[in-house]
Amino acid sequence: MLHELLFMLLGHPGDVFVPYPYQNSSTFAIRSNFPLLHPSEGESLNQLGQLGWIYSSVHQFITTINDFQTLTLRNTTQPHGAYIQSLATSIENILNDYRNDILDMEKRILNKEDDAGAGVIPLALLTVHLNRWQIVFPALRNLMGTLKADPARYHGCRLFDLLMQESKTGVHEWRVEIEKMTLQLHDVLYRQLTMWMVYGQWVDPDDEFFIVPFSTDTAMTEDQDRVTGAAWNRLYAVDYDRVPSHIPHSIADSILFVGKAIATVNEMDKLPLSISQQEDSSLRPIDMLGKSVRRPAMYHHYQHKTLQVPAEMKNRHLELLSSLYSQKTKKSMPSSLWIRYPQQLESVVGQIRRSTAEWLFSQVLVGEHGLHHYLQSFRNVFLLNYGDLSSRFLDECALWRKRSLHRTHSDEEHRRRRRSSTLTDSGQQMSRTELILRHQELNALLAKASIGTEAEDQLTGYRLLVDEEEAKDYPFSDLLLKQVCVVLTFDLEWPIDLFLTKDDLKRYSQLWSFLMSLKSTEMTLKELWKTDRSSGVNVEETRSGHQPMQSVDEYNERFVWRVRSLMLFWIETLWRHIQVYVIDSHYQQLIAMTTPSTTIKRRSWQTKNKLDFEEIQVAHEQFLTNLMRGCFLNSTKCVKLMYTILDTCFGFCKLMENLTEKGELRRNKRRKKAARTASDIVNQWTSTDTTLPWMEKVKNIQEEFNTLTEHFFELASSQPLEVKVSGQLDTLLTQLDYNKWFSKTQYTQTIINT
């Protein structure tokens, strides 16, 4: 009887223990007609029979996986791959522990160690010896059932998510086994990371790793925007659906960066898509005129320069990655594996990324096309140091707006259709086509504006984004061209993306959008003088004999120009302050900190012969932070307020343009007659007997502008200390508060009333 029990516990039924029920069996049970058994004994034996049945099922599942791994033609509907094989090995170790317990029981029985007398072994004693497996085996059966039901869902790295879900239990025994399985899976991940991050080799025959060859299907939308012709970005990508939930996406991006960098260096002279062999016109970027262009000399510079990853750096990275191996992590702190491993992985990957980036930085971003070349380009283009480029582009945009006036009605109708809940396929296609046409047209305007300026042939990599969905990220993007949202961006390609991130580029685009809106407002206000003076004299009205309303027109004109002067003073003051005290000041600091001859150690006056990559990144990060603070772009309230101020100025300019076109601004342009007496002079300058409806609009605009600028002055005065230091706000506030305009409210009201 005891031997029959031991055989059954190892998955071998016999005459005493048989599968039950006969059809669709789910356990081993003692025969119902078996004599000489008390009902309680039969129930205990049947419980042990459940263990034997689960052992047999799990063992069969493991055998199926092991046999399936040896097949050449694999059916993807069945569990396969290195991760499931590692899991099977871990489960096999659990079964080995179970078998060892059975062997120990047999030894104790043969040696009569548990003999209660007369050769009787208490059944309760056997049950106690197997009590641990009464807890582990049912949970193991549920795990196998989940894997069988949906193997594709938990394929490869996704298997971590299943184990994490199983580990959320209060059963200590099962949690211990889950952590053992997880350590085995981490060993597989560790080997994949080693091949990828140290040697730049992508080895994934079963599609399990979250690093995959680049394709439009696997690339995320924001990644597709920056892969226009860039072989560096066309090599590999992260499939975020495969990334385990306990590994942050930032770590996955860093893993991609390191392996992609090593793979690019290894294949620089081999791959037709490599950065050194951009000869196929189909792989070249498209310039803003729609023509295929060759890469700058910086890309061909690497054809004749062979880069090899230093052996010392490889060994150092291998040493760091080896700390993730399970044999070492087992001796770590007794914290949760799901907390401990991500922390260790983040630390190791961070060190490897910094080491790789620093080496590449010293090898790639050097010489004529070094970091300062890019910084100077961003200063000139994004931060509007090319004043002639920005002015000409704004002029081209103004002409484009005038040419697009006849399409206003159709644009508004299109927006109404797009806002509706139902859209036909043809309507969606038309919207996409129109967006592409506008994108090409506006990029052509930028290229045209650069002709004959310093920026000519200097805009490679720059392009305008025309997409209304991105307006929420760039609040000033719709002030330049009212019909569409326009933002300037730059294609992050090899090697500058070693240094810059997408977040850095986004801040550059935000700064460009704000500065262009400010510059556009200034130019529009200045253009009002030309618009007004270009209007003709109403000769017919003069000859008709009607009495001219000369004094009223002069008062209205003075009032209009006073409002314009107030707006222009505020805009020009803010513009000059940002360019001189914010952008130029912090840019010079950045150049000084990233130049070896002027970089000084903190505790020594000796100059540094070699720049530290992390220090340069920190300096650039601080540079962008200071610019965002100095331009008030980190304050949501300031952004909304400045947007409203600029929009108010645009509204005033639009009103004046319409009045000038209709001839209502200066109805009589006869030569002014000199006032004969002091009384005539006072009446001429103080007359307010106006009944023109548009004057009420101008007065309302003035009141709104004054209210907004006063609020801005108060808000800027209450900014935190770091913002005041970054933007030198004391200087700005002093300039804006000329003649105590804002600091003395009574004086301000007196000026407004007169």
Side-chain angles (χ1 to χ4, degrees), residues 43 46 224 234 283 360 435 480 521 538 550 567 643 645 673 734:
E43 185 67 25
N46 288 337
Q224 294 179 7
R234 284 186 176 182
L283 301 178
L360 286 173
L435 190 64
L480 188 59
T521 307
N538 196 336
Q550 183 175 354
M567 292 181 174
Y643 179 92
I645 292 175
K673 296 181 179 179
T734 301

Side-chain angles (χ1 to χ4, degrees), residues 57-336:
S57 301
V58 174
H59 184 266
Q60 183 179 2
F61 179 76
I62 298 303
T63 303
T64 302
I65 292 177
N66 293 334
D67 293 342
F68 187 74
Q69 291 297 123
T70 61
L71 297 179
T72 304
L73 298 177
R74 296 177 179 175
N75 183 3
T76 56
T77 61
Q78 296 294 329
H80 64 283
Y83 283 90
I84 192 66
Q85 181 67 31
S86 177
L87 180 66
T89 302
S90 181
I91 295 176
E92 186 67 28
N93 292 334
I94 296 176
L95 298 184
N96 285 335
D97 293 340
Y98 172 76
R99 285 189 287 263
N100 290 332
D101 284 351
I102 300 298
L103 290 176
D104 289 339
M105 285 178 54
E106 185 178 17
K107 290 179 181 179
R108 296 177 68 88
I109 291 173
L110 294 177
N111 295 332
K112 298 183 179 181
E113 296 181 14
D114 300 322
D115 193 351
V120 176
I121 303 297
L123 185 58
L125 188 59
L126 299 178
T127 303
V128 169
H129 284 314
L130 298 174
N131 188 48
R132 171 172 173 257
W133 303 108
Q134 295 279 5
I135 299 174
V136 174
F137 270 17
L140 186 59
R141 177 186 56 187
N142 295 335
L143 178 64
M144 296 299 100
T146 304
L147 289 174
K148 290 180 181 179
D150 195 358
R153 180 181 178 183
Y154 301 108
H155 179 67
C157 289
R158 299 186 185 98
L159 197 55
F160 282 107
D161 295 336
L162 177 60
L163 295 185
M164 176 179 286
Q165 181 180 353
E166 291 291 330
S167 67
K168 297 176 181 179
T169 176
V171 181
H172 175 73
E173 291 81 357
W174 177 236
R175 182 181 178 86
V176 170
E177 300 300 335
I178 287 294
E179 291 191 353
K180 292 179 181 178
M181 299 178 196
T182 306
L183 287 174
Q184 293 293 327
L185 295 189
H186 278 149
D187 287 347
V188 178
L189 179 61
Y190 153 73
R191 293 182 177 89
Q192 286 182 326
L193 293 179
T194 301
M195 293 296 296
W196 174 247
M197 300 180 69
V198 177
Y199 303 104
Q201 298 180 6
W202 181 81
V203 182
D204 189 18
D206 296 306
D207 294 330
E208 299 178 291
F209 197 26
F210 51 79
I211 304 296
V212 296
F214 177 83
S215 67
T216 56
D217 295 331
T218 57
M220 298 181 67
T221 303
E222 57 267 24
D223 293 331
Q224 294 179 7
D225 293 337
R226 61 184 180 91
V227 296
T228 53
W232 156 253
N233 290 314
R234 284 186 176 182
L235 291 175
Y236 299 95
V238 176
D239 187 350
Y240 292 99
D241 292 335
R242 298 186 184 183
V243 179
S245 57
H246 70 294
I247 297 180
H249 286 185
S250 59
I251 298 180
D253 291 336
S254 297
I255 293 172
L256 170 67
F257 170 85
V258 174
K260 189 170 61 172
I262 302 300
T264 302
V265 171
N266 293 340
E267 303 295 333
M268 187 171 293
D269 299 325
K270 302 176 184 178
L271 288 178
L273 284 177
S274 68
I275 58 173
S276 61
Q277 301 186 17
Q278 294 287 343
E279 298 297 334
D280 187 358
S281 60
S282 63
L283 301 178
R284 297 178 196 148
I286 306 298
D287 70 357
M288 283 171 267
L289 295 177
K291 298 179 180 180
S292 176
V293 297
R294 289 184 178 272
R295 287 288 178 190
M298 61 179 298
Y299 290 92
H300 300 282
H301 166 73
Y302 303 108
Q303 282 186 329
H304 307 290
K305 181 179 179 179
T306 303
L307 296 179
Q308 291 184 349
V309 181
E312 181 181 355
M313 188 175 75
K314 283 185 178 181
N315 295 333
R316 172 58 179 163
H317 293 176
L318 280 173
E319 181 180 353
L320 289 171
L321 287 171
S322 65
S323 63
L324 302 176
Y325 190 57
S326 62
Q327 297 301 324
K328 296 185 178 181
T329 55
K330 287 179 180 178
K331 301 177 181 179
S332 306
M333 296 182 297
S335 59
S336 173

Side-chain angles (χ1 to χ4, degrees), residues 691-723:
T691 58
L692 299 177
W694 60 266
M695 274 300 297
E696 293 298 325
K697 295 181 180 179
V698 175
K699 289 183 178 180
N700 292 335
I701 290 176
Q702 184 203 32
E703 292 177 1
E704 181 182 5
F705 179 79
N706 286 328
T707 302
L708 292 172
T709 51
E710 287 177 13
H711 187 196
F712 177 82
F713 187 86
E714 295 174 358
L715 195 59
S717 302
S718 61
Q719 291 297 306
L721 179 60
E722 61 271 12
V723 177

Side-chain angles (χ1 to χ4, degrees), residues 539-650:
V539 180
E540 296 297 330
E541 185 179 4
T542 305
R543 291 179 179 178
S544 63
H546 294 289
Q547 182 67 27
M549 299 175 62
Q550 183 175 354
S551 60
V552 175
D553 285 346
E554 290 178 352
Y555 171 80
N556 294 342
E557 186 176 1
R558 289 195 308 273
F559 190 89
V560 168
W561 290 118
R562 184 174 64 184
V563 175
R564 170 187 173 273
S565 299
L566 288 175
M567 292 181 174
L568 195 56
F569 171 77
W570 193 89
I571 296 295
E572 287 183 335
T573 301
L574 181 60
W575 169 263
R576 287 195 300 267
H577 176 81
I578 290 176
Q579 285 293 335
V580 176
Y581 292 97
V582 179
I583 295 178
D584 190 67
S585 175
H586 290 295
Y587 178 75
Q588 296 302 329
Q589 294 179 13
L590 175 64
I591 295 300
M593 295 180 67
T594 55
T595 302
S597 59
T598 59
T599 303
I600 302 177
K601 294 182 179 180
R602 294 181 179 179
R603 299 184 180 180
S604 173
W605 290 101
Q606 298 178 359
T607 58
K608 298 176 65 174
N609 296 324
K610 182 180 178 181
L611 294 176
D612 184 81
F613 179 75
E614 291 186 38
E615 291 183 2
I616 296 176
Q617 281 193 318
V618 170
H620 182 259
E621 175 70 20
Q622 188 62 41
F623 166 71
L624 289 178
T625 301
N626 289 334
L627 293 192
M628 296 292 287
R629 289 174 177 172
C631 295
F632 304 98
L633 297 181
N634 283 342
S635 172
T636 304
K637 293 182 179 180
C638 288
V639 168
K640 292 181 179 179
L641 191 57
M642 289 190 297
Y643 179 92
T644 307
I645 292 175
L646 297 182
D647 193 49
T648 301
C649 294
F650 277 121

Side-chain angles (χ1 to χ4, degrees), residues 358-519:
E358 185 172 353
W359 174 75
L360 286 173
F361 183 79
S362 64
Q363 297 295 319
V364 178
L365 288 173
V366 294
E368 180 183 356
H369 305 286
L371 176 62
H372 286 183
H373 169 80
Y374 288 100
L375 294 179
Q376 181 65 42
S377 177
F378 294 160
R379 169 70 176 96
N380 294 334
V381 180
F382 277 119
L383 305 181
L384 306 192
N385 194 42
Y386 282 153
D388 51 352
L389 172 64
S390 58
S391 299
R392 298 181 99 181
F393 179 63
L394 289 173
D395 291 337
E396 293 292 339
C397 290
L399 295 175
W400 184 87
R401 284 199 303 268
K402 294 180 180 179
R403 292 194 303 265
S404 303
L405 285 178
H406 68 280
R407 295 182 296 182
T408 302
H409 177 73
S410 60
D411 289 341
E412 293 177 353
E413 186 66 23
H414 173 65
R415 290 192 186 96
R416 285 195 294 268
R417 291 200 307 269
R418 185 167 51 192
R419 292 192 194 103
S420 61
S421 57
T422 58
L423 269 175
T424 61
D425 295 338
S426 60
Q428 291 177 345
Q429 184 65 28
M430 185 179 301
S431 174
R432 181 62 179 172
T433 303
E434 182 182 5
L435 190 64
I436 294 175
L437 292 176
R438 285 183 172 179
H439 179 273
Q440 294 176 348
E441 187 177 4
L442 292 174
N443 278 281
L445 289 180
L446 181 60
K448 181 181 178 181
S450 67
I451 298 176
T453 67
E454 293 180 290
E456 188 173 2
D457 299 328
Q458 301 296 321
L459 297 182
T460 303
Y462 293 94
R463 59 190 176 94
L464 293 171
L465 293 180
V466 184
D467 189 354
E468 295 183 0
E469 294 181 357
E470 298 185 2
K472 60 181 180 180
D473 296 328
Y474 307 97
F476 295 93
S477 60
D478 61 339
L479 287 178
L480 188 59
L481 299 172
K482 291 294 184 178
Q483 296 92 337
V484 292
C485 300
V486 181
V487 174
L488 184 69
T489 187
F490 183 80
D491 293 329
L492 285 181
E493 300 178 353
W494 175 280
I496 188 57
D497 57 351
L498 298 174
F499 179 76
L500 289 182
T501 64
K502 289 183 288 186
D503 291 336
D504 295 336
L505 187 61
K506 183 177 179 179
R507 284 191 283 183
Y508 273 117
S509 297
Q510 288 178 330
L511 289 166
W512 181 87
S513 178
F514 169 67
L515 293 174
M516 284 297 289
S517 300
L518 203 60
K519 184 71 173 178

